[in-house]
Amino acid sequence: MEQWAVGQQVDRARALEDTYTFARTAIARVVVANAVSLAVVLVLVGAIAGASASRLVQYGIVGATFGAAVLLPGVHSFVEGALRPARIAIVGDTGIGDSLPRSRPTFAACVERVHTHDRVPVRRLGRAAGGRD
């Protein structure tokens, strides 16, 4: 991915695959780092407050669990969103992914549908047609 970004010739499919590998490792690093950080914070606060050793262990477990759980819902979307422009640039004119079904139709598909289907006549309901304005 980095070689493609600086303009070197690389296989685009491989560069795209590298973005997904980077995203998975980044997500894991962020979740683990946050779990460790919150565990350390809770243990330090407990130590300052004079908690016993067994209580500090409990604070560490709670901090690690909470620290990991807080980021799980959002970190995936954040990393994937950050990599989206690079992925679009990598696959720009290759056609990678074009044969896959889409949840929403593309603009080109909508234009094609309008031009290939018969147009339905629109009936006006103005005063001349006996309706209300």
Side-chain angles (χ1 to χ4, degrees):
M1 180 176 72
E2 293 170 353
Q3 292 173 356
W4 174 85
V6 295
Q8 294 180 3
Q9 291 286 51
V10 295
D11 180 26
R12 287 184 175 196
R14 172 94 172 133
L16 184 62
E17 183 180 330
D18 287 344
T19 65
Y20 288 101
T21 303
F22 175 79
R24 285 189 299 270
T25 58
I27 291 168
R29 284 192 309 257
V30 167
V31 169
V32 169
N34 197 55
V36 170
S37 300
L38 194 55
V40 169
V41 166
L42 287 184
V43 169
L44 288 175
V45 169
I48 292 169
S52 65
S54 64
R55 186 64 65 161
L56 291 177
V57 170
Q58 293 173 3
Y59 288 162
I61 292 170
V62 168
T65 304
F66 188 72
V70 165
L71 284 183
L72 283 177
V75 72
H76 176 78
S77 298
F78 182 75
V79 172
E80 293 295 325
L83 289 173
R84 184 171 297 252
R87 290 178 181 160
I88 290 171
I90 290 170
V91 300
D93 59 350
T94 62
I96 294 175
D98 286 345
S99 63
L100 299 174
R102 297 180 184 271
S103 61
R104 287 182 259 152
T106 61
F107 178 73
C110 291
V111 169
E112 180 181 335
R113 192 173 304 138
V114 167
H115 290 298
T116 58
H117 290 78
D118 294 332
R119 293 182 184 243
V120 178
V122 177
R123 206 171 114 191
R124 294 196 160 245
L125 296 177
R127 288 185 188 163
R132 297 187 322 213
D133 281 336

